[in-house]
C-alpha cells in the first residue's frame, strides 16, 4: 500500500468522523449537557446567586465539558483538519522526495531532499493519478518525477530528453535530437565521492536550458533493451547506442550521470499518465546544507 493511498484513507476516515461529530454527535452532546446545566442551575440557584465558589467552579466545569470531544474522537476527528491540509498540499501542490542514488549527478546527489511541483503538468486525482485539469506538458530539459513503468509503486527521477514524436539518437555518448546534435561543452572534472572516481563533466544545452552531465570515459558506449522494455519496436539498438522514435503520449528520459543511470535506453518510455510532477528545488540535504536551492 502506497503512502498516497494510506493518506487518502486516513483523510476519508477522519473526515467522516469529523462530519459526524460536527453535525450529529456534538449537537446531541450539547443538548444533553444543556439539560444537565439547566437542572444544575435550578438545583443550585441560591448558591449561584450568592457566588459560592465551589458551585460556580462546578458549573464552569460543566460548560467546559459541553464543548469537549471524547478522547477517541479527539485523536481521530480532531486530526482531520491537519491531515486534510497535508493531503491537499501533497496531492495537488508539492510533494517531497529523497534522492536515493547518483544517477542524476551532478544536478542531484544521493541524500538531496527535493520538492516536486504537482500542478505543472496538470491537476491529477490522488491515488488514481488521472489528469482532471490540463495545465501544461513537460518540456525538453525538465527534471521530472514519474512512476516507474515496470513497477508503478516505485518513483523515478530523470531528465526529459525526448518529447512525443522526437527522433532520439544516443550513440557513442553523443545525443542527437531530430537530426541535430545537442550542444555540449567540456566543463572540467567531477569527483564522485561515493565511488571514489573522477568523471568528465560537460554542460549540455537542451533547448534554452543548460545543465551539467557526467560521462565515465572508462565505461563502454552502448545500450540494450531489458526484458521489461515497454516498447522495444520504437528503438533500433546499434553499435555504441540506440535510435528511438518517441511514441505518442510518452517521453524519453535520461539520467544526468549518463554512464550510471538505468533510464529510457534500457526500459523504454515514460507514459504521460505516469507523470508525478516537475522537480526544481532541493529543500534539504542533512550532510550538505549548501546544496539547498533551486536547480535546472
Amino acid at each position: 500500500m502506497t503512502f498516497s493511498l494510506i493518506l487518502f484513507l486516513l483523510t476519508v476516515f477522519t473526515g467522516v468522523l469529523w462530519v459526524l461529530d460536527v453535525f450529529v454527535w456534538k449537537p446531541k452532546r450539547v443538548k444533553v449537557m444543556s439539560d444537565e446545566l439547566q437542572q444544575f442551575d435550578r438545583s443550585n440557584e441560591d448558591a449561584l446567586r450568592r457566588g459560592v465558589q465551589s458551585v460556580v467552579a462546578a458549573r464552569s466545569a460543566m460548560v467546559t465539558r459541553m464543548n469537549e470531544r471524547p478522547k477517541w474522537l479527539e485523536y481521530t476527528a480532531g486530526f482531520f483538519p491537519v491531515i486534510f491540509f497535508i493531503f491537499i498540499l501533497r496531492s495537488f501542490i508539492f510533494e517531497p522526495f529523497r534522492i536515493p542514488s547518483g544517477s542524476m549527478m551532478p544536478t542531484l546527489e544521493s541524500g538531496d531532499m527535493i520538492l516536486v511541483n504537482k500542478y505543472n503538468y496538470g491537476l491529477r486525482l490522488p491515488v488514481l493519478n488521472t489528469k482532471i485539469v490540463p495545465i501544461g506538458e513537460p518540456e525538453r530539459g525538465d527534471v521530472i518525477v514519474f512512476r516507474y513503468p515496470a513497477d508503478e509503486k516505485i518513483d523515478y527521477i530523470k531528465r526529459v530528453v525526448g518529447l512525443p514524436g522526437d527522433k532520439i539518437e544516443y550513440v557513442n555518448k553523443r545525443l542527437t535530437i531530430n537530426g541535430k546534435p545537442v550542444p555540449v561543452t567540456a566543463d572540467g572534472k567531477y569527483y564522485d565521492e561515493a565511488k571514489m572516481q573522477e568523471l568528465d563533466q560537460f554542460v549540455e544545452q537542451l533547448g534554452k536550458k543548460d545543465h551539467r552531465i557526467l560521462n565515465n570515459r572508462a565505461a563502454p558506449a552502448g545500450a540494450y533493451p531489458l526484458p521489461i522494455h515497454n516498447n522495444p519496436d520504437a528503438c533500433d539498438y546499434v553499435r555504441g547506442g540506440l535510435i528511438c522514435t518517441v511514441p505518442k503520449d510518452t517521453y524519453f528520459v535520461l539520467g544526468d550521470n549518463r554512464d550510471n543511470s538505468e533510464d529510457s535506453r534500457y526500459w523504454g518510455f515514460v507514459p504521460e499518465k505516469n507523470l508525478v510532477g516537475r522537480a526544481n528545488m532541493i529543500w534539504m540535504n542533512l550532510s550538505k546544507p549548501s546544496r539547498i536551492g533551486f536547480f535546472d
Side-chain angles (χ1 to χ4, degrees):
M1 185 179 292
T2 66
F3 182 75
S4 295
L5 180 56
I6 293 172
L7 186 60
F8 172 73
L9 293 175
L10 275 175
T11 303
V12 171
F13 175 68
T14 58
V16 168
L17 293 180
W18 184 85
V19 168
L20 287 172
D21 184 48
V22 169
F23 296 103
V24 181
W25 297 330
K26 183 177 179 178
K28 288 182 178 179
R29 290 198 307 270
V30 171
K31 176 66 169 61
V32 170
M33 291 300 296
S34 295
D35 292 344
E36 292 180 5
L37 191 61
Q38 290 177 8
Q39 179 62 39
F40 181 88
D41 289 346
R42 285 194 295 268
S43 301
N44 296 276
E45 184 177 357
D46 184 60
L48 289 170
R49 187 171 56 251
R50 288 186 291 111
V52 176
Q53 195 63 37
S54 60
V55 177
V56 172
R59 190 182 191 281
S60 297
M62 291 182 68
V63 173
T64 299
R65 289 199 304 274
M66 186 183 296
N67 295 307
E68 285 182 345
R69 293 188 180 104
K71 290 295 183 184
W72 70 274
L73 269 178
E74 195 62 41
Y75 290 105
T76 51
F79 285 117
F80 169 69
V82 175
I83 294 174
F84 181 71
F85 174 77
I86 294 172
F87 175 74
I88 293 298
L89 184 70
R90 191 179 184 277
S91 299
F92 299 108
I93 304 176
F94 292 108
E95 183 174 354
F97 288 87
R98 185 180 184 278
I99 303 301
S101 71
S103 69
M104 281 296 292
M105 293 192 311
T107 305
L108 297 170
E109 296 182 1
S110 178
D112 284 343
M113 288 178 270
I114 64 171
L115 283 180
V116 174
N117 185 317
K118 299 293 290 285
Y119 56 84
N120 259 140
Y121 305 142
L123 296 181
R124 298 171 185 267
L125 288 175
V127 182
L128 299 176
N129 210 43
T130 302
K131 185 186 289 188
I132 53 175
V133 180
I135 295 176
E137 302 293 340
E139 297 179 2
R140 195 175 288 113
D142 285 358
V143 177
I144 63 169
V145 171
F146 55 93
R147 293 179 294 155
Y148 180 40
D151 184 352
E152 294 189 353
K153 295 189 294 295
I154 301 174
D155 293 313
Y156 265 34
I157 183 166
K158 303 293 178 187
R159 189 178 297 277
V160 175
V161 169
L163 305 177
D166 282 348
K167 182 179 180 181
I168 303 297
E169 300 178 44
Y170 191 78
V171 179
N172 295 325
K173 304 188 182 184
R174 289 302 308 272
L175 178 63
T176 300
I177 301 176
N178 297 326
K180 297 180 180 180
V182 172
V184 291
T185 305
D187 191 39
K189 302 292 183 180
Y190 179 91
Y191 184 70
D192 183 350
E193 297 175 356
K195 294 191 174 183
M196 295 185 293
Q197 63 180 179
E198 195 173 64
L199 304 173
D200 294 327
Q201 182 169 252
F202 299 88
V203 174
E204 182 178 76
Q205 183 180 350
L206 287 175
K208 296 180 181 180
K209 300 176 182 178
D210 291 344
H211 60 275
R212 287 174 172 78
I213 63 170
L214 301 177
N215 278 328
N216 180 0
R217 64 177 62 188
Y224 54 87
L226 294 172
I228 56 174
H229 198 295
N230 58 8
N231 197 338
D233 293 338
C235 296
D236 291 322
Y237 286 83
V238 298
R239 184 179 179 85
L242 79 168
I243 302 170
C244 298
T245 299
V246 184
K248 181 183 178 181
D249 295 328
T250 67
Y251 299 89
F252 187 95
V253 296
L254 293 175
D256 288 348
N257 191 357
R258 294 287 161 81
D259 294 314
N260 186 29
S261 174
E262 186 179 295
D263 45 42
S264 287
R265 292 170 290 180
Y266 303 96
W267 45 254
F269 307 92
V270 178
E272 193 278 338
K273 65 182 181 64
N274 285 43
L275 296 176
V276 172
R278 181 187 176 197
N280 63 354
M281 180 183 180
I282 300 170
W283 67 273
M284 180 59 69
N285 184 309
L286 295 176
S287 60
K288 296 181 180 180
S290 61
R291 290 188 53 75
I292 295 174
F294 290 92
F295 61 86
D296 288 323

